[in-house]
Amino acid sequence: MTPSAPTHPPASPQPAPPKLKPLPFAFPFLRKGQSTASSQFTDEHDIYRLLATSEASGSYLVSRKGMWHGGIHITEAGAGQALDLDAGLRCIADGVLVAWRANRDYPVSELAADGGNAPFQAPYSTGFALVRHEMEFPRGTKLTFYSLYMHLMSSADYDSNFPKRQKPAYWSRQWTITNYAQDKPTPVAGQVADGQVGLHVRRTPNGPVLGILPQGASVSIGKTETVHGATWGQLTDLNGATLYAPVAGGYVAPAAAITGWIFLGAQNGGPVAKETMPDSTFDRVVVTTNQACSPGDLQGTGGGIPVKAGDLMGHPGRYDSLDRCTAGTRMAHIEVFCDGSIKPFIKAGRNWVNANCANVKQWSQLGLSADPTILRIDRGTTLYDRDPSGSTPPQKSDHAKQTDVIQAYPFAALPQDAAHLFTETAPGSDGAKRRWWKADSADRQRNPISGWVREQNFAGGRVTREFSQDWIDFECHDEDHDPAHTIFATTNDYVDYTLGSDTPGAGSLGKLSPLMAAIYRVLYPGGDGAQAADELCALGQNTPGAGFPWAAFRASRLIAKHESEWANPAKWQELVSAIEQHTGPKPEHEEEKKRIAKLAWWDEVQAGVAGFPGPDVYHINPVGLVGNFSASGSLKCTHCGIDLSITSRLLKEIFANISDANAEYFSKAVTVAFGKYKIDSCNRAAHFLGQCEVECAGFTAFRENLNYTNGDHLWSTYRTALTNGLRRMHPMWTSAQMETYAKTHLIYNDSELGEVLFGDDECPGRDYRGRGLLHMTWLATYKKYKRASGIDVVSDPNKVQNDPAVASDSSAWFWSSHSINTPADVNNVHGVTHVINPALKDFARRKAAAQRAFAALNKGNQPCKQDWDSTLTTGNGW
């Protein structure tokens, strides 16, 4: 008997939950190059060394004068000497700019001078940029935090002293169409367009004309782009200007020009558009959360201006002290803060890691690597002092030193040469072949020591591999603090200390606030506390040759709750009054109170930004935060375990013509994309980069060039494609008309030819030519990538060519979605190339570049070298 059919159809399988999107991080400044371009910092330890020897004030947690300090300072005369200050301050992570303030010129504090001399003037910057960021881990648990870039350069300082430095892109700039703009509507019989003179608005740079902006119109520009040496700007607002139609007698709505492009160069003897800065730009807090984010933005909730890790926030501005001896100081203050949700967020992350640290499947479901990223060496660990010999691991002698500090290194930042790394050839006592690392540390007297540790199951002490999501060694402190912002329990205790009174125990541990006393005990566990205030005030400072500043490193993992410096200016009144009881009134005190009032911005931001916390917040060291989480961006070969992070140096080694800027931009973007799409072996990465040699001409051309000079060659080469495209756009044309038009109108016409060959009726006016690292092509592919990533490259395909992150991500997505890892794993260059370019164009170049990339990535590492050679002998490879 035939069984009856089920009454209910089987339930459809539930879609897998989306992967987490790791938040990209970047240190807030670049290292100055000596004879080459500037470079990214990769190891936070280098920054602490720099700050300790170069910056006399502005350390994290405590200033040199015994005040609370929630961020770090960078000065032009101090750490700035080793930084690329022209590159400015960089955003520490992807996020949304929610508020900012810019000075047209700096406000000035003025103090009377003696003897009829000119008054002493001390300019200072109140400019700032405030960015909101969001992290998620584990799934469904989120943290919102803010990064602040304070004391930024004024517009007048840029114009007068640093005209070559780029002003921040978020400044509200406008461009006025000048009389040199002489574009006119195309005449039509019977139609006259008298007086309609101005500047063409084009769909794309050099593309079809959308309309004409009249002379005198003042428009807003978003991003700019250089095409064939010419600068173009993309319109974001016409500010009420009219728009002439491109053809006389026609009409075009002004809204049609939004997102269009105008030429920003010179024609007819002068500039066709002149940049202006409206008065509304300056000297006020601008809240941006009423500006909607575009659909593809990673963090588009709540409005604001999207920014990415590494984007320019501004440059250090003037901040002259009122002590009459620091004229000409340029500095910046950088800090990170959040509300109390940081405590449950850290706890949830630690609980998840503790439960799932060894579960590869659980990490995979979140889209994250299951490999620990941090090497931690605990206090009391013995560093083995005898170097490895042959296959024998490092050993310890009777003179081996023991550490008295906690150390944490991202694996990606550790030197990986033979002098610092040893890999066991035989299993150790735990049955595994582990790596040994030579690390720096300090003994009980804080003398520098170094030696070897095994990365796990080390007999000399507790050495572990940790995950950044575990917030290793980070501690939250919310003990009571002095409302007057000193590190002491009372204002009088501070006055006794700072004025050098004879009060017994002034500056001792017992005089500190509960918050600072707790911090002191963490930083100086063996200290007697007799000079606690002095030790804290010197926290971030070192004399040259004094060794690594271990206390500053430990402080970078302390998260302290304290009222912000940028709120409640009245809090300083009590402090000033207490000081003046001993010193008498001083004019600099009054000027300082005026400064503090002008520097404050918290209330205005809180009133305009939904969800912005009150001023009593948790502060996080920005360098420590980036140092911890940038480690998770490192990439390891799944076969041999070496670091596969794509550095600018590596890209320049592989690609002879890549620019310094492109090497810098793409190094992090490609590393992130490789990790996201599992291009995570020496072979896979090498084959991907090998294809880049041809597709994007070695990271020099991210948009297919369609400027043909020979009409006969164009027609003979692309006859079928041209016929199909022209028939779609002009269905009544004959074949002869199509051939004539192609030969006469489509040469030297990159934009229109692109629309003919790669356009689509579904999205008129755009073309979907090859873009990105692997030249992703056709509307159908762009639509698939949009669905997969959420980035709208359909309405704006130029994102694929203009944004290194999108160029890298879309190309790695294409690689993954077409399963190109499979032929790459067996070194099948033919199979890899056939998917990307079925015609196998320039096959020899691709093959040579892949081999060159493998050599640069692998550096002769034995495990992958053996696999590579064995594949070669089977005939499946080169």
Side-chain angles (χ1 to χ4, degrees):
M1 180 176 180
T2 304
S4 59
T7 56
H8 300 287
S12 300
Q14 294 297 314
K19 309 290 188 182
L20 297 187
K21 294 182 178 179
L23 185 63
F25 281 89
F27 287 111
F29 27 72
L30 296 177
R31 190 198 308 266
K32 182 188 294 183
Q34 299 301 318
S35 58
T36 58
S38 58
S39 60
Q40 295 186 42
F41 283 91
T42 58
D43 185 356
E44 63 180 302
H45 294 76
D46 293 340
I47 299 176
Y48 299 124
R49 291 186 183 95
L50 176 61
L51 297 179
T53 57
S54 304
E55 294 298 342
S57 67
S59 300
Y60 178 65
L61 295 179
V62 182
S63 78
R64 66 182 173 91
K65 293 184 178 180
M67 304 295 293
W68 157 262
H69 196 253
I72 61 171
H73 280 177
I74 297 296
T75 62
E76 184 178 54
Q81 297 295 304
L83 302 177
D84 183 356
L85 292 185
D86 287 338
L89 304 176
R90 308 164 72 225
C91 191
I92 66 164
D94 286 6
V96 175
L97 181 82
V98 295
W100 57 281
R101 177 169 59 199
N103 299 130
R104 181 181 289 280
D105 203 351
Y106 302 119
V108 176
S109 299
E110 189 168 277
L111 297 174
D114 297 330
N117 294 323
F120 172 75
Q121 294 187 325
Y124 63 99
S125 167
T126 68
F128 72 89
L130 180 66
V131 181
R132 181 181 63 225
H133 313 273
E134 185 177 274
M135 298 177 69
E136 182 178 6
F137 184 85
R139 182 178 281 117
T141 303
K142 297 182 179 181
L143 172 70
T144 298
F145 66 95
Y146 297 84
S147 61
L148 171 69
Y149 313 85
M150 192 79 196
H151 308 314
L152 301 181
M153 187 173 286
S154 72
S155 180
D157 204 359
Y158 278 113
D159 295 340
S160 299
N161 301 306
F162 300 95
K164 293 184 179 180
R165 287 186 178 177
Q166 181 181 354
K167 295 177 181 177
Y170 56 82
W171 281 17
S172 300
R173 279 172 279 184
Q174 294 181 355
W175 294 75
T176 300
I177 310 305
T178 71
N179 292 335
Y180 293 107
Q182 297 288 326
D183 295 327
K184 299 178 181 179
T186 302
V188 176
Q191 298 290 344
V192 179
D194 289 341
Q196 294 188 359
V197 181
L199 183 63
H200 279 147
V201 179
R202 298 180 180 273
R203 181 176 291 122
T204 58
N206 280 324
V209 176
L210 299 174
I212 299 172
L213 287 169
Q215 294 176 352
S218 183
V219 297
S220 298
I221 294 293
K223 62 182 178 181
T224 59
E225 182 177 325
T226 300
V227 179
H228 302 307
T231 302
W232 296 77
Q234 189 173 37
L235 294 170
T236 60
D237 197 336
L238 267 59
N239 301 321
T242 59
L243 188 68
Y244 302 145
V247 177
Y251 170 78
V252 58
I258 301 302
T259 73
W261 295 78
I262 61 172
F263 178 59
L264 299 179
Q267 290 177 341
N268 308 309
V272 295
K274 183 178 180 180
E275 184 180 12
T276 59
M277 300 289 288
D279 289 339
S280 60
T281 296
F282 299 110
D283 302 310
R284 69 184 186 93
V285 174
V286 179
V287 174
T288 67
T289 48
N290 60 341
Q291 303 178 30
C293 296
S294 60
D297 294 324
L298 293 176
Q299 295 183 315
T301 59
I305 301 174
V307 292
K308 293 185 178 298
D311 281 357
L312 175 67
M313 292 288 99
H315 295 79
R318 284 287 294 272
Y319 202 83
D320 291 11
S321 172
L322 291 170
D323 61 10
R324 304 174 188 261
C325 64
T326 58
T329 300
R330 285 188 176 84
M331 62 162 285
H333 169 103
I334 308 165
E335 73 175 60
V336 172
F337 59 85
C338 61
D339 63 16
S341 61
I342 181 71
K343 295 177 75 173
F345 181 81
I346 291 176
K347 182 178 180 181
R350 288 174 174 170
N351 288 343
W352 192 96
V353 171
N354 185 57
N356 300 282
C357 59
N359 192 325
V360 175
K361 182 178 180 181
Q362 290 294 327
W363 287 99
S364 178
Q365 288 177 353
L366 296 183
L368 302 175
S369 170
D371 293 327
T373 55
I374 297 169
L375 177 72
R376 183 184 187 274
I377 306 170
D378 204 355
R379 180 182 289 113
T381 298
T382 299
L383 301 183
Y384 284 19
D385 54 344
R386 289 180 176 170
D387 292 340
S389 176
S391 61
T392 303
Q395 304 293 314
K396 68 173 179 177
S397 74
D398 293 337
H399 305 290
K401 302 291 181 65
Q402 192 176 78
T403 66
D404 194 51
V405 297
I406 298 172
Q407 179 59 301
Y409 283 107
F411 283 111
L414 285 167
Q416 300 192 22
D417 54 84
H420 295 87
L421 171 63
F422 171 81
T423 302
E424 295 173 342
T425 58
S429 59
D430 58 355
K433 297 178 183 179
R434 300 288 183 187
R435 293 172 296 181
W436 290 70
W437 301 90
K438 192 169 188 179
D440 296 325
S441 192
D443 62 17
R444 288 187 177 181
Q445 288 73 42
R446 294 298 187 267
N447 296 316
I449 60 175
S450 66
W452 293 87
V453 296
R454 193 173 190 257
E455 65 184 4
Q456 192 167 317
N457 299 311
F458 179 48
R462 183 171 173 76
V463 180
T464 53
R465 299 182 304 152
E466 306 286 357
F467 294 92
S468 60
Q469 295 88 350
D470 210 3
W471 291 74
I472 296 303
D473 296 316
F474 282 83
E475 299 178 9
C476 292
H477 286 270
D478 53 10
E479 296 85 357
D480 290 341
H481 63 80
D482 176 17
H485 276 234
T486 77
I487 65 173
F488 290 84
T490 69
T491 302
N492 285 334
D493 288 333
Y494 170 76
V495 172
D496 288 342
Y497 171 76
T498 195
L499 296 182
S501 73
D502 295 329
T503 303
S508 65
L509 180 60
K511 299 292 186 179
L512 300 183
S513 69
L515 173 66
M516 287 301 166
I519 286 173
Y520 176 85
R521 292 189 188 98
V522 173
L523 300 181
Y524 304 100
D528 61 13
Q531 306 296 326
D534 290 345
E535 291 178 87
L536 288 177
C537 288
L539 175 61
Q541 300 164 37
N542 258 11
T543 56
F548 183 76
W550 293 104
F553 178 77
R554 185 69 188 93
S556 72
R557 268 55 183 173
L558 302 184
I559 302 173
K561 185 180 183 183
H562 201 289
E563 186 180 28
S564 172
E565 300 172 58
W566 318 111
N568 186 23
K571 62 179 171 281
W572 303 101
Q573 297 287 350
E574 178 189 348
L575 180 62
V576 171
S577 297
I579 292 174
E580 289 187 340
Q581 287 179 12
H582 295 265
T583 65
K586 289 192 174 183
E588 54 263 38
H589 291 163
E590 291 303 313
E591 287 300 311
E592 192 67 53
K593 287 190 286 186
K594 293 177 184 178
R595 278 192 174 193
I596 292 167
K598 286 190 175 183
L599 286 166
W601 49 259
W602 199 281
D603 290 346
E604 292 177 81
V605 172
Q606 189 175 17
V609 177
F612 193 72
D616 208 14
V617 289
Y618 287 83
H619 293 78
I620 310 173
N621 186 306
V623 176
L625 180 69
V626 176
N628 183 71
F629 284 100
S630 62
S632 61
S634 61
L635 186 67
K636 305 293 182 183
C637 174
T638 54
H639 184 73
C640 70
I642 67 168
D643 184 32
L644 283 181
S645 298
I646 307 303
T647 64
S648 57
R649 181 182 300 176
L650 182 79
L651 290 176
K652 293 177 74 172
E653 183 177 347
I654 300 169
F655 303 105
N657 296 320
I658 189 172
S659 67
D660 290 339
N662 279 345
E664 189 68 29
Y665 295 151
F666 281 95
S667 58
K668 188 173 183 66
V670 172
T671 299
V672 171
F674 278 11
K676 182 177 179 180
Y677 294 102
K678 304 301 181 185
I679 305 173
D680 52 5
S681 72
C682 293
N683 290 12
R684 293 175 179 184
H687 282 285
F688 183 102
L689 295 172
Q691 296 297 315
C692 292
E693 167 70 16
V694 174
E695 293 300 317
C696 63
F699 288 82
T700 64
F702 309 103
R703 174 180 181 269
E704 189 173 351
N705 187 340
L706 301 176
N707 279 308
Y708 287 85
T709 60
N710 186 307
D712 291 330
H713 173 69
L714 173 64
W715 179 254
S716 62
T717 304
Y718 298 105
R719 178 173 182 172
T720 301
L722 289 166
T723 300
N724 291 337
L726 290 170
R727 182 173 290 118
R728 169 173 50 80
M729 300 173 70
H730 305 282
M732 304 304 293
W733 280 12
T734 66
S735 296
Q737 287 176 302
M738 293 179 189
E739 180 176 355
T740 300
Y741 189 84
K743 292 181 177 180
T744 58
H745 286 75
L746 295 186
I747 58 172
Y748 297 107
N749 196 340
D750 176 271
S751 179
E752 188 173 356
L753 181 55
E755 198 166 340
V756 170
L757 292 177
F758 301 103
D760 194 289
D761 286 339
E762 183 179 337
C763 299
R766 303 183 184 95
D767 75 74
Y768 299 92
R769 72 180 75 200
R771 292 181 175 87
L773 305 187
L774 300 183
H775 277 193
M776 183 173 75
T777 313
W778 306 116
L779 173 60
T781 311
Y782 280 71
K783 289 169 71 174
K784 288 179 182 177
Y785 176 66
K786 177 185 176 180
R787 288 195 297 270
S789 67
I791 302 173
D792 188 3
V793 296
V794 174
S795 62
D796 185 7
N798 286 328
K799 284 183 179 179
V800 182
Q801 74 194 44
N802 294 333
D803 187 333
V806 179
S808 304
D809 189 83
S810 60
S811 298
W813 163 84
F814 180 90
W815 181 280
S816 175
S817 64
H818 288 76
S819 302
I820 306 179
N821 276 337
T822 300
D825 285 343
V826 294
N827 293 335
N828 185 345
V829 188
H830 184 282
V832 169
T833 305
H834 188 267
V835 179
I836 295 171
N837 186 284
L840 304 180
K841 177 185 177 183
D842 291 322
F843 179 82
R845 280 179 60 204
R846 298 174 197 261
K847 180 175 68 174
Q851 291 176 307
R852 194 165 64 244
F854 180 84
L857 286 161
N858 190 265
K859 298 298 184 186
N861 188 63
Q862 194 63 24
C864 277
K865 186 73 167 67
Q866 290 173 343
D867 275 8
W868 194 261
D869 285 344
S870 65
T871 305
L872 286 172
T873 60
T874 64
N876 294 327
W878 308 119

